[in-house]
Amino acid sequence: MGNVLLARMGEITLKGLNRGAFEIQLKSNLKYRLKKFGDLKIYQSQSRIWIEPKEEDNPNFVSMASAEEIMKAVCQVFGIVSVSLARKFEGDFESVKENAFACVRELLDANPGYKTFKVESKRGNKTFPMTSPEICEELGYLILQNFPELTVKVKNPDFILNVEIRESNYIYSGKMMAHRGLPVGTCAKGMLLLSGGIDSPVAGFMMASRGMPLDAVYFHSYPYTSDLAKQKVIDLAKIVSGYSGRMTLHVVNFTQIQLDLYKHSPQDMLTVTMRRVMLQIAERLALKNDCKCLITGESLGQVASQTMEAIAATNEVVKMPILRPLIGLDKQATCDISRDIGAFETSILPYEDCCTVFVAKHPKTHPHPEDIIEAEKDLDIEMLVESGVAGTEDIVINPFD
Amino acid sequence: MIYFDNSATTFVSDSVRAALQELTEDSVSANPGALHKLGNRAIEVYEGIRKETAELLGARPEEIFFTSCATESANTAIKGYMSRNKRAGNAVISTRTEHKATLECLEYLAKLGYEIRYLKVGMDGKPVPESLEEELSKGDVALACFTLVNNETGAVLPFENISKTIRAKSPSTVIYLDCVQALGKMPINLSTLGADMCSFSGHKIHSIKGNGVLYVKKGVRIDPLILGGGQQDGMRSGTQSPVLAGAFLAALKEVTTGIDESREKIAEINAYLRKELSSRGAKILSPDDALPYVLNVSFEGFESETMLHCLEIYDIFVSTVSACSAKQKKVSYVLLEMGVDRKTAANAVRLSFSRHNTMDEAVEFIKCVDEIYDQFLVK
């Protein structure tokens, strides 16, 4: 049982003079993310972030299960590469040996099949009387003597025992991989167009992994879509916010707008005109909420509205950059990420989202500019966009409620 | 609020609430299997309930078993009969318009190697008579499974004719009948009905959820589904619940009085809705001679779920296909089997009434439908 978590930072360590700002943001995000686990000491030293229980009379995490839960939470914080549960202790080689034995014993209890191992060590504290290779050698020898069932294997052993001699000493084995990226909050906010599908939550996740905080907008067409569909989007927003942090979900009442579009624009252009209006509403909500870009889950060629011509037709109605992190991604790759972040099962729930009711049988896949002018000639676009912005309900999504 | 979703479930009646109150008193709450006098009191109350329930259904007390729901009753009857009577035959006849509780049991039997023969069903929702004779004439039929009133369309099975045909052509065939939607809406006397096993559900007749009844005619032997302490003559183990049985009985008492008057009232409402809806271009999918308590109707231009949500805006509650599987987003298999085309079936909504619905509600319903057409119809 360890008493400290060791979290490794990735890309941040490559930063130059602004590295400090990234680190401060990362620590602050960790504090926020781990708040619900009680009083924890989170501090940084030597390119690592350390997390310890605060109470002095309770030097260990409450239980292995709770340590694992905290590790999972740490892994949801962008900027972290991996995390290990370690034993922290003071003293000379004798105490290193004792702790190493205890650690190996625990590992063998939990994994009776383990037969091979190796020791790796790092010595930051140069006053320690042994060098790193000496520690590996001596400790390896002692473990072999004490645990006759084990043999040393340098390549691909069943487990590696890591020893680090710093201001204190640390021993651990194994690590949980995190999502890397940059700490959320280190760049400006983006407005995610969130539907009930697989792609848009993944798009939000990917932008958040570059440090971008998010707000989201969802177009609701009740009664053509049920409130279960809306709840599904709220659930998806909550899943994304587990990574991106607190966000506001702007639910646009889209029913009347959609009916107007349906009545006054040609069937085969409906998807394009609808998306053009959606983007304009999203842009205005973005401006109102201090977002600097829009984010969509578009992937080139995936559906009729995602051909290059259709994307160009929707792109031209807004000034803000539209980020499309999935544009070159295969559907399978998107599904893999969706599963990885825990959104897939929610995304595939069957409730109709607003795309299925008003879909033309044969939408125009290569709309020309003149088609668009023709399609919108009977529409008061400005009025539709304004009514959309005005009829928006804001829902605060707090991932850790 | 207008609640037209009574075939999905009904609201709990006051008499059921009173029965619940009474039967949760300490004095009747001991284990009916206990040997002390409190236990004796509990079993006495329980057997009293069983006797009264049997009387109201026209059965003998020993033919009545309390279950958790009609699905359990169906499982016990169908699987239990085939398991116990392995030499009775290798075939089961039924239709594809049965409730899932029956169909899934039949699928299960098919996997065990039994032959399931599905009869053809006509536009009127009834099995085609020639189809029944044909399948019976092939012989080896151990069991026949039917539904007295279809839960999606209200189609009433011509059960007298069917049971006569079965008795004449294949006397050893045992008949299971799902009576869930019929109970309290048409007179049922199990002693003369002609079925050997029947299932009933409490929550469809204003009881709470969690109680059902299985009727097994004396002389018909079946294996129990639930094994244990041997309660209810070993047919359904598990501590008997006077509370749940009592709730069922309280509801049953109520719905078996004034059946004809209620039906007349609902028939009027049904006729009014049929007329008004047809004149607005909606297509009535329930057969003309269906039980008036169920009205299946297809609104062109509205997917089922869209119409459901439109009505919800006006605080009117209906179902799409059958509520048990509404989240699976499929078109009703019952309607498809009857020969309704897919597009019409995709727009089908089920209105289902209880004796407490009124003509005023029907009038209000039509008014709201008009507003919905005005506001939400996508042509």
Side-chain angles (χ1 to χ4, degrees):
Chain A
M1 182 68 191
N3 51 4
V4 62
L5 294 182
L6 173 177
R8 301 167 190 86
M9 289 184 278
E11 208 178 318
I12 296 176
T13 54
L14 305 175
K15 294 282 174 193
L17 291 175
N18 56 354
R19 176 170 165 178
F22 282 86
E23 286 170 348
I24 289 167
Q25 185 69 51
L26 179 59
K27 270 182 284 176
S28 147
N29 291 356
L30 277 168
K31 272 194 186 123
Y32 173 63
R33 185 66 182 83
L34 301 180
K35 208 160 60 184
K36 72 167 180 185
F37 297 104
D39 232 358
L40 296 171
K41 198 159 81 183
I42 300 173
Y43 60 95
Q44 183 202 344
S45 92
Q46 295 167 324
S47 310
R48 298 269 164 96
I49 287 180
W50 306 91
I51 301 158
E52 293 178 33
K54 239 179 196 170
E55 304 98 281
E56 285 182 1
D57 54 341
N58 177 24
N60 287 323
F61 289 104
V62 181
S63 66
M64 199 57 209
S66 86
E68 205 173 296
E69 214 187 314
I70 297 173
M71 285 167 80
K72 279 186 187 153
V74 172
C75 286
Q76 278 199 314
V77 177
F78 291 119
I80 299 291
V81 171
S82 64
V83 59
S84 299
L85 178 62
R87 289 164 175 269
K88 177 185 178 186
F89 55 95
E90 314 293 330
D92 55 9
F93 185 74
E94 190 56 27
S95 65
V96 171
K97 185 187 92 182
E98 275 166 26
N99 277 283
F101 283 2
C103 185
V104 171
R105 210 167 290 127
E106 249 175 42
L107 274 168
L108 291 179
D109 284 347
N111 309 281
Y114 278 4
K115 294 276 175 267
T116 59
F117 78 104
K118 81 169 172 179
V119 180
E120 283 181 359
S121 77
K122 270 186 195 159
R123 187 182 58 133
N125 171 10
K126 301 297 177 195
T127 63
F128 197 82
M130 294 162 83
T131 65
S132 293
E134 283 169 356
I135 295 170
C136 291
E137 250 173 62
E138 186 65 17
L139 204 52
Y141 167 74
L142 290 169
I143 290 171
L144 279 174
Q145 290 230 306
N146 264 272
F147 299 90
E149 68 268 43
L150 291 176
T151 53
V152 170
K153 192 175 169 199
V154 180
K155 274 189 186 164
N156 289 327
D158 290 333
F159 69 92
I160 298 172
L161 193 71
N162 296 84
V163 182
E164 297 195 10
I165 310 294
R166 296 165 182 267
E167 287 148 7
S168 299
N169 306 325
Y170 301 90
I171 284 185
Y172 60 90
S173 180
K175 56 189 171 187
M176 192 184 276
M177 297 311 291
H179 291 284
R180 302 173 182 266
L182 295 172
V184 172
T186 52
C187 93
K189 192 159 70 164
M191 179 66 78
L192 171 67
L193 278 80
L194 192 59
S195 72
I198 294 167
D199 299 346
S200 50
V202 173
F205 166 83
M206 285 176 77
M207 292 326 301
S209 83
R210 300 310 300 161
M212 183 176 279
L214 304 173
D215 261 11
V217 53
Y218 163 61
F219 297 89
H220 191 39
S221 298
Y222 184 82
Y224 299 102
T225 49
S226 73
D227 279 336
L228 287 175
K230 177 174 153 188
Q231 187 55 48
K232 173 181 166 183
V233 172
I234 294 173
D235 293 344
L236 285 171
K238 195 156 181 166
I239 291 167
V240 174
S241 75
Y243 302 92
S244 71
R246 209 173 110 110
M247 68 161 84
T248 302
L249 173 65
H250 308 274
V251 180
V252 178
N253 181 354
F254 202 59
T255 312
Q256 199 50 51
I257 301 170
Q258 204 158 22
L259 282 168
D260 283 355
L261 291 172
Y262 193 84
K263 276 179 198 147
H264 301 295
S265 69
Q267 270 283 309
D268 59 352
M269 285 296 290
L270 193 62
T271 312
V272 174
T273 52
M274 189 174 82
R275 291 184 72 87
R276 280 163 66 96
V277 171
M278 282 177 168
L279 278 177
Q280 291 175 78
I281 294 172
E283 185 182 44
R284 282 192 210 180
L285 289 170
L287 286 168
K288 268 173 74 172
N289 291 281
D290 208 23
C291 298
K292 305 295 181 209
C293 66
L294 302 178
I295 304 161
T296 73
E298 286 163 304
S299 171
L300 192 63
Q302 186 173 269
V303 288
S305 63
Q306 295 173 18
T307 63
M308 201 51 238
E309 287 87 345
I311 288 176
T314 51
N315 200 78
E316 68 180 13
V317 294
V318 293
K319 287 210 180 72
M320 222 173 233
I322 303 175
L323 304 182
R324 301 178 174 90
L326 311 187
I327 197 71
L329 226 53
D330 182 76
K331 187 76 186 184
Q332 191 55 50
T334 305
C335 288
D336 289 346
I337 301 174
S338 173
R339 281 195 190 90
D340 187 36
I341 65 174
F344 190 75
E345 294 304 321
T346 306
S347 283
I348 59 171
L349 290 173
Y351 321 118
E352 300 185 28
D353 70 37
C354 53
C355 292
T356 57
V357 183
F358 289 91
V359 188
K361 278 211 182 67
H362 302 290
K364 206 158 239 175
T365 48
H366 303 284
H368 295 296
E370 56 269 28
D371 296 333
I372 297 160
I373 295 168
E374 176 64 23
E376 292 185 349
K377 75 177 187 331
D378 295 332
L379 290 164
D380 184 348
I381 299 286
E382 177 54 30
M383 188 275 289
L384 291 178
V385 171
E386 261 317 301
S387 72
V389 174
T392 298
E393 173 198 6
D394 289 351
I395 301 172
V396 175
I397 306 286
N398 199 330
F400 317 123
D401 281 348
Chain B
M1 179 180 73
I2 299 177
Y3 187 73
F4 283 170
D5 198 16
N6 290 282
S7 287
T9 196
T10 53
F11 295 146
V12 175
S13 76
D14 289 343
S15 68
V16 170
R17 284 205 185 90
L20 290 173
Q21 177 79 36
E22 194 185 314
L23 291 164
T24 43
E25 302 278 339
D26 291 352
S27 59
V28 288
S29 290
N31 190 321
L35 296 179
H36 45 65
K37 63 181 179 187
L38 266 186
N40 295 346
R41 174 76 191 124
I43 193 72
E44 196 183 313
V45 168
Y46 181 77
E47 289 300 340
I49 291 168
R50 188 179 184 188
K51 187 161 168 275
E52 262 192 273
T53 304
E55 273 166 18
L56 285 168
L57 292 172
R60 306 175 202 206
E62 62 271 26
E63 295 174 324
I64 294 297
F65 305 94
F66 289 103
T67 61
S68 66
C69 59
T71 297
E72 187 195 322
S73 300
N75 273 262
T76 309
I78 297 169
K79 294 200 271 192
Y81 182 78
M82 296 308 282
S83 154
R84 180 65 176 264
N85 302 279
K86 294 212 168 63
R87 273 177 279 176
N90 192 49
V92 180
I93 56 171
S94 187
T95 71
R96 291 190 196 277
T97 57
E98 303 303 306
H99 190 275
K100 282 283 179 191
T102 297
L103 289 180
E104 289 299 313
C105 288
L106 297 181
E107 281 297 308
Y108 171 81
L109 291 178
K111 275 186 202 144
L112 295 183
Y114 289 99
E115 181 197 350
I116 313 298
R117 300 181 195 155
Y118 293 103
L119 308 184
K120 288 195 192 88
V121 171
M123 260 313 244
D124 58 1
K126 295 171 190 165
V128 176
E130 297 78 49
S131 175
L132 173 64
E133 293 194 14
E134 192 189 318
E135 297 303 340
L136 284 172
S137 66
K138 291 181 191 164
D140 212 21
V141 180
L143 179 67
C145 302
F146 293 105
T147 303
L148 192 48
V149 173
N150 184 277
N151 59 310
E152 289 190 28
T153 61
V156 182
L157 190 77
F159 185 62
E160 214 183 312
N161 297 344
I162 286 179
S163 68
K164 265 187 199 151
T165 309
I166 293 173
R167 299 296 179 223
K169 298 249 170 195
S170 177
S172 66
T173 300
V174 158
I175 305 174
Y176 161 74
L177 192 63
D178 173 337
C179 295
V180 170
Q181 298 292 343
L183 187 60
K185 296 167 189 163
M186 54 198 278
I188 290 178
N189 183 342
L190 291 172
S191 67
T192 55
L193 183 65
D196 300 299
M197 301 184 286
C198 295
S199 57
F200 302 93
S201 164
H203 76 100
K204 312 280 192 193
I205 58 166
H206 306 279
S207 177
I208 52 171
K209 284 138 198 87
N211 54 99
V213 160
L214 169 64
Y215 159 79
V216 182
K217 193 173 172 179
K218 202 174 172 204
V220 175
R221 304 211 175 281
I222 69 175
D223 279 341
L225 186 68
I226 295 173
L227 302 175
Q231 291 88 342
Q232 301 203 54
D233 308 331
M235 183 72 92
R236 206 278 189 178
S237 286
T239 303
Q240 305 94 319
S241 169
V243 183
L244 293 171
F248 185 92
L249 174 61
L252 185 66
K253 276 184 190 166
E254 239 179 310
V255 298
T256 45
T257 48
I259 286 188
D260 293 341
E261 294 86 332
S262 297
R263 183 173 172 158
E264 227 165 87
K265 179 179 86 167
I266 298 304
E268 262 177 56
I269 292 175
N270 186 298
Y272 167 78
L273 288 172
R274 277 177 187 252
K275 187 173 134 257
E276 294 298 325
L277 291 171
S278 304
S279 74
R280 284 158 177 81
K283 212 178 206 168
I284 305 296
L285 302 178
S286 288
D288 293 340
D289 60 349
L291 194 72
Y293 285 88
V294 182
L295 184 60
N296 199 310
V297 50
S298 175
F299 294 91
E300 203 191 333
F302 289 92
E303 281 179 32
S304 307
E305 199 184 326
T306 304
M307 180 48 88
L308 178 143
H309 294 308
C310 286
L311 289 165
E312 178 182 67
I313 296 174
Y314 295 92
D315 241 8
I316 299 175
F317 301 97
V318 301
S319 275
T320 60
V321 290
S322 81
C324 312
S325 55
K327 283 182 188 158
Q328 291 174 10
K329 219 190 159 183
K330 284 181 193 154
V331 171
S332 157
Y333 63 87
V334 172
L335 296 175
L336 292 182
E337 184 66 18
M338 281 165 61
V340 176
D341 67 277
R342 210 177 173 84
K343 208 170 151 235
T344 306
N347 297 345
V349 164
R350 178 188 68 184
L351 318 180
S352 53
F353 315 110
S354 84
R355 53 173 53 211
H356 303 303
N357 286 119
T358 63
M359 188 56 113
D360 286 349
E361 289 177 322
V363 172
E364 178 65 21
F365 177 84
I366 292 295
K367 219 175 87 195
C368 295
V369 166
D370 283 340
E371 283 184 32
I372 289 166
Y373 269 110
D374 275 353
Q375 223 181 322
F376 296 113
L377 180 61
V378 175
K379 274 185 198 153

